[in-house]
């Protein structure tokens, strides 16, 4: 056969454009006359959401049974790339067992703020950890012959208004924080796909962003795969293909194809760009992918076990005063909390999985033959759980060991909208306070995909964070509680004491159309460390039932130049009585006086399993990149000429060992920045941000009749028009078939998806039901342009 590029030159412009437009909800277009097949995509990322019937991006319609792994925020807490590669392999095999070619994952956006509704689907606040875990996942999926599609590129750190928000990020934060996880994943694992996000970055939609899609992704990082739009994220087909976008998903019923063909004729759409896009799509479709020959049932049961093992390695032991844990499995315990009986194990939205089995915590205890009494304690559906709480207080008075299970209800955490508060439901906090007053022997199990405030943490003896632990979370919890498994998870994000402590607390979700990332690089521990802001539990933290000691830090050289690397060696000893695993974390640190530089940043880690009493020399390599910094002028990473240091600590013991390193690089140009960017005390301010970044922030706007466009949302249009309010509610109802509970995350997601999606994006995803003509009429109606309404816009 001729090379692909040659074959594509024989296609008509119509056919080439067709290849860049999805054929339906999940497939690219095929051209049977040219023997060009299509390829099939499915979500991602904590299992396979394969929809055999009608497709949707909300997780509402049925999907075929598949393994539900712990969600990304738990997976990252394993700090174990090898284990994560196994998870990727398992998902890759499930994909191949259903002839899926590309899995839409992993999601590696940085957790900028704990309230982002999709944080459960992301790995970390730290780009190195997120990048390495993401790369491991991609390697696993792709080693089984399925493609991975890394998402959501880039700057998609909030869910509210995600289709219209503009993330304003200064160059240092963009490259060193928000793009860095993507860079690591792309360069380490070469995913076949990258999904561009819904939002704008510094004024340009991701789908049209030539800087991100071409200069950075392809030229700087060497990405060789296809850029796929998030579902309905294409802004302008011509701009997108010119900018480096390849495939528009899902099908918009070829809404923009004619426009693209006209642009091709008059030279606005570059033919080389169109050929590149078509080639990138066809390469994925034509790639030989192995057929799954095994037994799907066996695969699901093996993968179920793996999902449990991952959760057992992910759960983070945050407190264990007086060694209240592990519990004696022979003694009866009292379990309190509705979450114990109805344990959440995944989040809502496009990652929603339909698992073959699922164990609650109570079921897990029963499976492990642990005797227990149960008190509901609170009700998800009723803020006022007085009677349930009273009954629990009575029971707890006489109990020796009490396990309380609390967490976020289903409706709190979902794709499509952000959490409104970092607090747990008030009835759960009140329950713990009441129980703590009558019995000190409380162990709390926490079930939530993201940090919550833990105001009672000093009043309980044990605290085990399960995150959203996948289908067998109950069995994993029982093994962890009894010590059959020794906890080894470490936090992949900081747990602030209160929401107000978060650097972006005052600005997050306040002005989405111009969302200033005013805290810049000071996200998560990069802020808490330098601002000297205490946290409830720091990044990297996690206890064990054994103890570890770190000693004898040595580095191979105290000076580094381009092309070199430094070997860091430490001795790790398991000084306790149980076998267990610990994470050795290596950071590179900076002088506190350096502007836009955190005190330390994670640059290497290793999870090490040691028998009781065993010790081991642990070595971790730090390449020159670990000491490099983004140089905006030269558009590249450079080794600076400064003194840095290497610092090493453990998950269970945050006391660090440090040693200096002289970086023999170039004198990088520095500019004067406002003092906050040297020492970030309290909150950043927007004027300082503009001065530092040069980025202009638009004031929040209320759109008036006369100003509406295709990019306005039904919520904006409804503000001034009864009729549009009515139309929006009809639209919502027609889409909400199958959602019975108006408070469910699906119902809230649907509300956000309809009301806060620009009209043109709704049309793109409407499967042809909402045409561009109808969009223009709605806009005319809202603008009170009644003539246009009658004759149409064009
Ligand atoms: C999500 C993506 C997902 C896609 C397909 C979108 O709404 O943002 O992460 O892969 O839907 O379901």
């Amino acid at each position: 056969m001729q090379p692909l590029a040659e074959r594509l030159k024989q296609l008509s412009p119509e056919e080439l454009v067709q290849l860049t437009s999805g054929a339906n909800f999940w497939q690219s277009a095929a051209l049977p006359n040219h023997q060009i097949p299509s390829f099939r995509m499915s979500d991602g990322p904590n299992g396979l959401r394969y929809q055999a019937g009608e497709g949707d991006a909300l997780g509402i319609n049925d999907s075929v049974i598949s393994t539900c792994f712990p969600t990304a925020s738990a997976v990252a807490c394993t700090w174990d790339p090898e284990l994560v590669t196994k998870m990727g392999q398992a998902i890759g095999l499930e994909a191949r067992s259903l002839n899926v070619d590309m899995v839409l994952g992993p999601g590696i956006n940085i957790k900028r703020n704990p309230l982002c509704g999709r944080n459960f689907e992301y790995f970390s606040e730290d780009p190195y950890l997120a990048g390495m875990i993401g790369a491991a996942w991609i390697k696993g999926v792709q080693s089984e012959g399925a493609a991975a599609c890394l998402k959501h590129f880039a700057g998609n750190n909030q869910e509210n208004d995600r289709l219209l928000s503009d993330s304003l990020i200064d160059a240092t934060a963009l490259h060193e924080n928000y793009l860095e996880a993507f860079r690591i994943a792309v360069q380490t694992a070469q995913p076949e796909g990258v999904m561009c996000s819904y939002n704008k970055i510094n004024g340009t939609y991701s789908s049209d962003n030539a800087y991100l899609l071409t200069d950075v992704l392809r030229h700087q990082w060497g990405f060789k795969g296809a850029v796929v739009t998030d579902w309905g994220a294409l802004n302008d087909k011509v701009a997108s293909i010119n900018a480096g976008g390849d495939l528009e998903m899902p099908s918009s019923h070829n809404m923009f194809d004619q426009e693209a063909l006209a642009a091709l004729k008059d030279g606005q759409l570059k033919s080389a760009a169109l050929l590149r896009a078509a080639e990138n799509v066809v390469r994925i479709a034509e790639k030989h992918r192995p057929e799954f020959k095994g037994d799907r049932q066996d695969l699901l049961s093996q993968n179920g076990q793996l999902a449990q093992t991952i959760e057992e390695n992910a759960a983070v032991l945050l407190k264990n005063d007086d060694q209240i844990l592990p519990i004696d499995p022979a003694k009866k315990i009292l379990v309190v909390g509705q979450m114990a009986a109805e344990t959440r194990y995944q989040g809502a939205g496009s990652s929603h999985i339909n698992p073959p089995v699922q164990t609650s915590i109570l079921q897990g205890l029963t499976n492990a033959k642990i005797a227990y009494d149960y008190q509901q304690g609170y009700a998800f559906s009723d803020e006022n759980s007085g009677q349930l709480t009273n009954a629990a207080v009575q029971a707890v008075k006489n109990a020796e060991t009490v396990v309380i299970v609390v967490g976020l209800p289903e409706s709190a955490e979902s794709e499509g909208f952000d959490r409104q508060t970092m607090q747990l439901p008030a009835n759960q906090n009140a329950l713990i306070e009441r129980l703590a007053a009558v019995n000190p022997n409380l162990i709390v199990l926490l079930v939530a995909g993201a940090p919550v405030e833990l105001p009672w943490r000093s009043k309980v003896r044990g605290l085990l964070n399960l995150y959203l632990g996948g289908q067998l979370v109950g069995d994993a919890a029982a093994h962890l509680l009894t010590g059959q498994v020794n906890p080894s998870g470490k936090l992949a994000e900081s747990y602030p004491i209160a929401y107000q402590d978060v650097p972006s607390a005052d600005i997050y979700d306040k002005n989405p159309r111009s969302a200033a990332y005013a805290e810049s690089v000071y996200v998560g521990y990069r802020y808490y460390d330098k601002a000297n802001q205490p946290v409830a539990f720091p990044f990297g933290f996690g206890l064990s039932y054994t103890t570890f000691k770190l000693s004898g830090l040595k580095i191979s050289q105290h000076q580094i130049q381009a092309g070199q690397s430094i070997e860091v060696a430490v001795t790790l000893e398991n000084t306790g009585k149980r076998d267990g695993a610990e994470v050795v974390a290596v950071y590179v640190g900076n002088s506190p006086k350096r502007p836009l530089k955190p005190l330390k940043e994670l640059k290497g880690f290793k999870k090490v399993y040691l028998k009781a009493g065993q010790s081991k020399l642990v070595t971790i390599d730090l390449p020159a990149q670990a000491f490099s910094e983004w140089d905006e002028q030269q558009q590249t990473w450079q080794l600076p000429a400064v003194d840095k240091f290497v610092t090493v600590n453990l998950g269970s013991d945050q006391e660090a060992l440090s040693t200096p390193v002289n970086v023999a690089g170039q004198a990088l140009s520095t500019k004067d920045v406002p003092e906050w960017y040297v020492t970030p005390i309290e909150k950043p301010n927007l004027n300082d941000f503009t001065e530092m970044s040069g980025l202009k922030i638009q004031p929040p706007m209320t759109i008036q009749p006369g100003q509406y466009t295709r990019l306005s949302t039904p919520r904006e249009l409804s503000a001034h028009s009864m009729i549009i309010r009515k139309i929006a509610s009809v639209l919502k109802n027609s889409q909400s078939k199958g959602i019975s509970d108006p408070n469910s995350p699906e119902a809230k997601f649907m509300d956000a998806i309809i009301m806060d999606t620009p009209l043109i994006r709704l049309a793109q995803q409407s499967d042809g039901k909402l045409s561009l003509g109808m969009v223009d009429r709605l806009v005319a109606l809202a603008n009170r342009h009644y003539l246009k309404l009658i004759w149409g816009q064009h």
Side-chain angles (χ1 to χ4, degrees), residues 21 54 56 228 292 344 379 392 471 502 507 589 618-619 708 765:
S21 305
E54 206 179 329
D56 73 276
V228 180
F292 176 74
R344 277 184 67 224
Q471 63 187 44
V502 176
I507 44 175
V618 179
T619 57
Y708 293 116
Q765 296 184 70

Side-chain angles (χ1 to χ4, degrees), residues 714 717-731 755 777-778 780-782 784 786 789:
L717 264 68
S718 298
H720 297 279
S721 162
M722 265 284 278
I723 311 178
I724 304 235
R725 261 201 300 282
K726 241 333 336 112
I727 298 175
S729 111
V730 171
L731 201 67
M755 298 305 288
R777 285 191 165 74
L778 281 173
L781 180 69
R784 301 174 188 159
Y786 298 112
L789 181 59

Side-chain angles (χ1 to χ4, degrees), residues 73-74 77 111-116 118-120 122-125 318 407-408 412-413 419 421-424 446-454 465 467-468 491-499 502 524 528 535-539:
S73 52
C77 294
K111 300 186 201 211
R112 175 185 175 215
N113 182 294
L115 298 189
C116 170
R118 220 170 174 181
N119 275 356
F120 71 87
Y122 296 139
F123 293 123
S124 180
E125 68 188 24
L318 294 174
L408 291 174
E413 279 181 293
R419 280 194 290 156
T421 157
M422 217 180 105
Q423 287 164 11
L424 283 171
L446 185 62
V447 177
V452 289
E453 292 176 11
L454 305 163
N465 187 358
Y467 274 98
L468 299 176
L491 291 179
E493 60 193 319
S494 316
Y495 271 56
I497 294 173
Y499 182 62
V502 176
Y528 302 118
V535 290
F537 298 103
F539 172 83

Side-chain angles (χ1 to χ4, degrees), residues 25-26 43 49 56-57 104 118 121 151-152 162 195 198 230-231 350 415 749:
F25 208 82
W26 296 119
D43 284 302
R49 187 171 70 97
D56 73 276
L104 304 175
R118 220 170 174 181
E121 245 187 279
K151 64 194 190 182
H152 306 90
R162 62 180 176 167
M195 185 189 286
Y198 285 122
D230 197 345
W231 265 229
S350 63
E415 176 183 342
F749 187 11

Side-chain angles (χ1 to χ4, degrees), residues 360 712 715:
S360 66
S712 304
R715 202 181 301 283

